[in-house]
Amino acid sequence: MSESLVFAPSAAAIARTRTTAAQYEEMYARSLSDPDGFWKEQSQRIDWIKPPTRIKNTSYTYPDISIKWFEDGVLNISANCVDRHLATRADETAIIWEGDIPGTDDKVTYRQLHERLGRFANVLKANGVKKGDRVTIYMPMIIDTAVAMLACARIGAVHSVIFGGFSPDSIAGRINDCDSKIVLTADEGRRGGKTIPLKKNVDEALLKTPGVERVIVVKNTGNAVAMQAGRDVWYADEAAKVSADCAPEPMNAEDPLFILYTSGSTGKPKGVLHTTGGYIVWASLTHERVFDYQPGEIYWCTADVGWVTGHSYIVYGPLANGATTVMFEGIPSYPDAGRCWQVVEKHKVNIFYTAPTAIRALMGAGADIPDQYPMPSLRLLGSVGEPINPEAWLWYHKHVGKERCEIVDTWWQTETGGILISALPGAIAAKPGSATKPFFGIKPIVLSPEGKLQEQTKAEGVLCIADSWPGQMRTVYGDHARFVSTYFETYKGYYFTGDGCRRDEDGYYWITGRVDDVLNVSGHRIGTAEVESALVAHPKVAEAAVVGYPHDIKGQGIYCYVTLMAGEKGDDALKTELRNWVRKEIGAIASPDLMQFAPGLPKTRSGKIMRRILRKIAENDYGALGDTTTLADPGVVTDLIENRQNR
Ligand code: WT7
């Protein structure tokens, strides 16, 4: 697909935008030349209890990495997301909820949200939660989940939201890592016509979490669940005992707001820690500019609140901007592939933000489906989570956007808190497949894999960011050394993203995917090391190596090479058993797509697994294996090729 394909901003987008092309250039230049002045001004979009006088205080000098923004400012995020809108838009809709079951929906106004979050905050207090305590949230996509997050922010508790697709073992690991004494959950969730046994999963997880003292359960489906006396309470019973009046806790800008676990190339998931002031400035400013959000518009991000996209662009960013944000409980394919378009028309959605994997899946169902929905309300489309292939971009543009909507391809990460590279509608021309240009304050740099700075505009290599921005993660919870080594050790003086990229002659960035051992499966980040350790925990498995391979819909699929214990037979039954095992250990999102039993894995003479070779075989590209002479036993490669699973 041609790189010369350029979509200039439409006249309509130019006419309405908050940021013209000239303003983008001017603001971008100033954000780099005068960060203190620029961010002091931008911080005024937030209501501070005490406005900050110190703006940027950050160091990327290895190993003394320290990141502080607005450090003497005092604020409360829930007050910024809700209370401050009461004077102007109390009766406007804050959240539209669209249920999994077609025909079920609900909404809350800002006034109602204020009441609900105050009451939830008082329930937390009554159950012993104090400022700084970690609260685990394992809840479905319902309004109460956003309320629960805001209620934590109200009293200064740090939430750790766990995606509903994670298994009891994964929940337990996350609860123990941050030493959370309380878990918020629901009886069950709903997704794609199925119920998700949330409370049951929590019960199983809690067999391994000695620290948890209280479980608060929101009634959702109403089906019976076990309640353990002395530990578990129903939210409704607790809510009946407290008032809805809860004053927001004054928080320092650098007080923690949330922890979100994400996979890396090694070890167990890391607790990415975000703080208060910089995060909310970043989430709200990026939401306003990237989506060119204007009052009264209906905005829908299809993510789950269990991921950072849900945190920044369903809850915090939109609500801080007084937006109407849609929360969708279901999935794009249920009950059929027209669901998203039906919901867009039903709620008159203006801005639609989703992931390439969803677009590709809907594309597979046929263009005639979106073609039946004119969707006149739609103005802007967004993409996030993985590179969008130009074919999917063009399909999205034509059949969903009817060639009249701009598309913003937004590149960012759990670690970045919000969008770092994206077009701004009406200001930056799109090129299908490119995330385009950096946001204010972001100076992307391209290095050769060996770390040499690529100064010419046209370049290819690994993507780093030259300096800190307000929304950046501050540390790995409980393990600052891991934060420093993961992001600042390989390329000293820069933040290392883990992604590869190309910069074209116009200074546009094209993300090429992860350069580390992290897979991106349907926009979900999965560490190969995690899947490997799940596999080797099975009694029949001796050794395992996991790599990615190109997958038409998921972007990447999970390919597992498994060496069995002596005497075990590698057959289809065992494949199924191991697949189920991984689902049980981690969750369905880590389910292996292809599995190959191998008598041995290719290793160097020092015993290191040669992943390069395994990747090539998984990609069915074994003609280009490269140098295999350093292998301890070149013979294993012949067997691996012979029995490859992806043909
Ligand atoms: C990784 C971060 C961003 C929130 C959801 C995922 C990939 C993300 C794009 C994009 C190409 C993208 C990167 C990144 N990625 N957005 N627009 N184009 N790649 O957050 O789970 O922390 O994953 O997703 O590889 O490093 P995450």
Side-chain angles (χ1 to χ4, degrees):
M1 191 68 54
S2 164
E3 234 178 65
S4 56
L5 219 48
V6 179
F7 287 77
S10 68
I14 292 172
R16 76 183 304 278
T17 188
R18 286 173 181 277
T19 325
T20 63
Q23 280 166 334
Y24 166 72
E25 294 298 342
E26 188 225 300
M27 289 174 77
Y28 180 67
R30 168 134 191 269
S31 71
L32 296 190
S33 65
D34 176 21
D36 279 305
F38 182 87
W39 289 109
K40 182 170 185 151
E41 239 169 78
Q42 294 304 326
S43 71
Q44 288 159 9
R45 60 186 297 107
I46 292 305
D47 270 6
W48 298 86
I49 297 165
K50 179 182 170 299
T53 62
R54 298 205 61 179
I55 304 302
K56 180 177 191 285
N57 179 8
T58 67
S59 162
Y60 272 16
T61 310
Y62 181 84
D64 300 314
I65 311 302
S66 152
I67 298 162
K68 292 187 183 132
W69 285 88
F70 314 119
E71 62 186 295
D72 61 348
V74 178
L75 74 162
N76 182 283
I77 284 190
S78 79
N80 271 281
C81 287
V82 184
D83 306 37
R84 70 162 162 164
H85 305 312
L86 296 180
T88 49
R89 47 171 69 94
D91 296 313
E92 285 173 27
T93 305
I95 304 176
I96 296 175
W97 176 81
E98 171 72 18
D100 187 51
I101 303 167
T104 57
D105 55 27
D106 194 5
K107 57 181 162 201
V108 282
T109 63
Y110 275 96
R111 191 195 308 282
Q112 292 164 333
L113 186 56
H114 181 254
E115 215 226 77
R116 279 171 72 165
L117 95 90
R119 194 176 298 280
F120 210 123
N122 281 332
V123 165
L124 294 176
K125 279 187 174 173
N127 281 275
V129 180
K130 294 191 186 60
K131 182 171 178 171
D133 287 354
R134 279 78 55 216
V135 174
T136 295
I137 301 181
Y138 183 68
M139 288 177 67
M141 282 289 286
I142 56 176
I143 292 173
D144 280 314
T145 308
V147 170
M149 292 163 73
L150 292 165
C152 289
R154 189 131 190 119
I155 66 170
V158 183
H159 59 69
S160 163
V161 182
I162 303 177
F163 174 60
F166 279 114
S167 68
D169 275 1
S170 295
I171 302 168
R174 286 157 168 78
I175 288 174
N176 290 333
D177 183 79
C178 70
D179 191 20
S180 167
K181 296 186 174 51
I182 182 160
V183 179
L184 313 180
T185 190
D187 46 10
E188 294 174 323
R190 283 197 176 92
R191 212 161 173 265
K194 299 190 184 108
T195 54
I196 319 283
L198 298 173
K199 175 63 167 61
K200 187 166 160 278
N201 288 349
V202 167
D203 287 342
E204 228 175 281
L206 264 47
L207 298 173
K208 297 180 180 170
T209 59
V212 175
E213 293 156 7
R214 177 70 77 234
V215 180
I216 300 182
V217 189
V218 171
K219 191 165 277 188
N220 185 39
T221 63
N223 291 328
V225 291
M227 296 290 278
Q228 184 177 310
R231 187 194 72 183
D232 306 348
V233 293
W234 288 104
Y235 176 73
D237 296 343
E238 297 302 292
K241 298 182 207 157
V242 298
S243 90
D245 212 7
C246 176
E249 184 72 26
M251 303 297 289
N252 180 271
E254 283 300 340
D255 281 337
L257 173 66
F258 67 82
I259 298 167
L260 195 51
Y261 286 87
T262 192
S263 298
S265 50
T266 56
K268 57 184 173 71
K270 305 182 273 281
V272 168
L273 183 84
H274 283 286
T275 58
T276 302
Y279 173 79
I280 198 65
V281 168
W282 194 261
S284 67
L285 179 66
T286 50
H287 174 262
E288 178 188 274
R289 299 288 170 144
V290 171
F291 301 107
D292 192 22
Y293 185 83
Q294 298 192 18
E297 289 193 308
I298 313 289
Y299 162 89
W300 179 18
C301 165
T302 68
D304 191 285
V305 289
W307 309 109
V308 73
T309 312
H311 284 57
S312 300
Y313 298 115
I314 294 178
V315 179
Y316 289 116
L319 295 179
N321 291 338
T324 300
T325 179
V326 177
M327 224 176 148
F328 177 41
E329 188 185 27
I331 55 173
S333 56
Y334 178 80
D336 57 63
R339 183 69 192 274
C340 288
W341 324 132
Q342 184 240 322
V343 172
V344 165
E345 292 203 338
K346 175 179 174 188
H347 296 298
K348 303 189 169 51
V349 170
N350 305 110
I351 304 163
F352 179 73
Y353 188 30
T354 196
T357 186
I359 299 167
R360 287 192 300 264
L362 295 172
M363 206 170 141
D368 54 315
I369 300 174
D371 287 351
Q372 291 160 27
Y373 298 86
M375 299 185 269
S377 59
L378 268 190
R379 166 179 78 70
L380 182 72
L381 304 175
S383 172
V384 61
E386 55 178 309
I388 178 163
N389 47 311
E391 293 77 4
W393 196 104
L394 293 168
W395 187 89
Y396 197 27
H397 185 250
K398 180 163 182 205
H399 298 287
V400 181
K402 318 295 180 193
E403 295 180 332
R404 84 185 131 70
C405 300
E406 313 274 295
I407 297 184
V408 289
D409 175 1
T410 64
W411 175 85
W412 59 295
Q413 311 177 296
T414 306
E415 293 88 337
T416 69
I419 295 162
L420 297 201
I421 303 183
S422 171
L424 302 185
I428 299 173
K431 296 188 189 184
S434 168
T436 78
K437 298 273 213 164
F439 195 74
F440 308 136
I442 301 304
K443 189 176 175 205
I445 56 174
V446 181
L447 302 177
S448 73
E450 298 73 37
K452 196 172 165 318
L453 185 63
Q454 305 294 295
E455 286 176 274
Q456 69 288 6
T457 305
K458 204 170 150 125
E460 182 156 6
V462 298
L463 177 65
C464 290
I465 310 293
D467 200 355
S468 181
W469 62 96
Q472 183 170 26
M473 74 182 283
R474 301 304 194 252
T475 193
V476 170
Y477 185 82
D479 196 350
H480 194 66
R482 191 168 175 201
F483 174 62
V484 173
S485 66
T486 306
Y487 305 104
F488 299 95
E489 195 171 78
T490 321
Y491 303 107
K492 305 253 174 1
Y494 307 119
Y495 166 77
F496 173 45
T497 65
D499 280 341
C501 83
R502 224 152 24 84
R503 185 169 54 210
D504 71 15
E505 56 283 0
D506 299 324
Y508 274 50
Y509 290 86
W510 302 72
I511 309 297
T512 50
R514 303 287 308 192
V515 296
D516 52 10
D517 290 317
V518 171
L519 307 183
N520 191 327
V521 180
S522 300
H524 300 320
R525 219 162 120 167
I526 294 166
T528 53
E530 270 172 82
V531 183
E532 286 163 6
S533 68
L535 284 167
V536 297
H538 190 281
K540 294 180 185 166
V541 174
E543 200 170 30
V546 173
V547 297
Y549 70 98
H551 187 288
D552 283 349
I553 305 245
K554 299 180 177 185
Q556 276 188 304
I558 303 178
Y559 194 117
C560 306
Y561 295 91
V562 175
T563 305
L564 297 174
M565 294 290 189
E568 298 297 343
K569 188 163 164 289
D571 53 15
D572 284 349
L574 186 53
K575 278 190 187 173
T576 307
E577 185 179 330
L578 293 179
R579 195 167 285 129
N580 289 336
W581 173 267
V582 173
R583 293 167 74 99
K584 183 186 90 52
E585 291 276 307
I586 305 175
I589 59 165
S591 193
D593 293 286
L594 295 174
M595 195 177 294
Q596 175 171 358
F597 294 114
L601 298 174
K603 290 186 187 158
T604 60
R605 278 169 218 137
S606 59
K608 200 170 171 299
I609 294 177
M610 293 185 77
R611 294 175 165 278
R612 176 177 56 81
I613 292 177
L614 294 175
R615 270 188 222 113
K616 286 282 178 200
I617 296 173
E619 287 163 10
N620 201 16
D621 183 20
Y622 54 89
L625 282 187
D627 186 10
T628 55
T629 54
T630 53
L631 282 175
D633 174 11
V636 299
V637 173
T638 319
D639 175 84
L640 288 172
I641 292 173
E642 203 124 299
N643 295 303
R644 70 192 185 281
Q645 300 292 302
N646 177 25
R647 304 176 186 244

